[in-house]
Amino acid sequence: MKNRKNLPVAALRAFEAAARHGRLTAAAEELSVTHGAISRHVSQLEMLIGTELFEGPRNRPKLTAEGRVFGFALTAAFDQMEDALRIVGRGDDSILDVACLSTFAMRWLIPRLHDFTAKYPRYDVRLATDDRLPRTQIDVQILVLAPNIALPENCSPLFQEQLGLIIAPKLRMIGQAASIPTVQCCLDWRRERARMYGKSGLG
């Protein structure tokens, strides 16, 4: 069993807010403490883990690479704790976790969320747009399957994707557009382009 007796919860909460806002002042306002208190908590945390989390001038500090990674991890951890409190405290099952590709979420899903929320106001949709496999429990996962992959039994088709080819203007000018073969998949197109134009492609 892990011993969390010495876990610096206050310092972790202070740094998470500072990392999320990007400013110590905003973190102090959110947590209703002074700027100095946030600064002391961050310094305490840096000493504990042995690495700098902020860098630059004191009046305009910026997150280090380690600080950004740590901040993202803490935000995810605090989100999970808030969800657990809400679910256990009120029996809330209104959170709908949806995992999909970031490009799909940005171009197709997010523009439609307003209509979904208006139709189903009890659901709070939370998106996971990491292109890797989700590490937490999800309710819906939207996948892109290749044409030769059978649809799993527990899945329903959303729509068939249609691909279009964008031709470079200089390709049309030299009259080679008609010679481009039908694109079967991205891999075939890369191989065909390398054959037609050399390994460097069109640049």
Side-chain angles (χ1 to χ4, degrees), residues 99-105 141-152 155 158-163 186:
C100 63
L101 295 177
S102 56
T103 51
F104 179 84
Q141 185 171 13
I142 302 175
L143 302 173
V144 179
L145 299 179
N148 60 333
I149 300 298
L151 189 69
C155 295
L158 187 59
F159 58 79
Q160 288 188 343
E161 186 178 25
Q162 295 182 348
L163 301 178
C186 293

Side-chain angles (χ1 to χ4, degrees), residues 44-58:
Q44 173 191 353
L45 205 54
E46 289 177 331
M47 292 181 60
L48 179 65
I49 63 180
T51 188
E52 291 187 348
L53 301 172
F54 281 95
E55 61 184 357
R58 297 179 64 87

Side-chain angles (χ1 to χ4, degrees), residues 12-24 26-31 38 54 63 67-68 70-76 78-79 82:
L12 291 172
R13 185 173 61 175
F15 171 72
E16 187 277 331
R20 178 162 36 84
H21 288 291
R23 296 187 303 116
L24 271 64
E29 293 176 355
E30 177 183 316
L31 300 178
I38 297 293
F54 281 95
L63 285 168
R68 285 192 295 271
F70 193 34
F72 287 141
L74 285 179
T75 297
F78 278 114
D79 285 345
E82 286 183 349

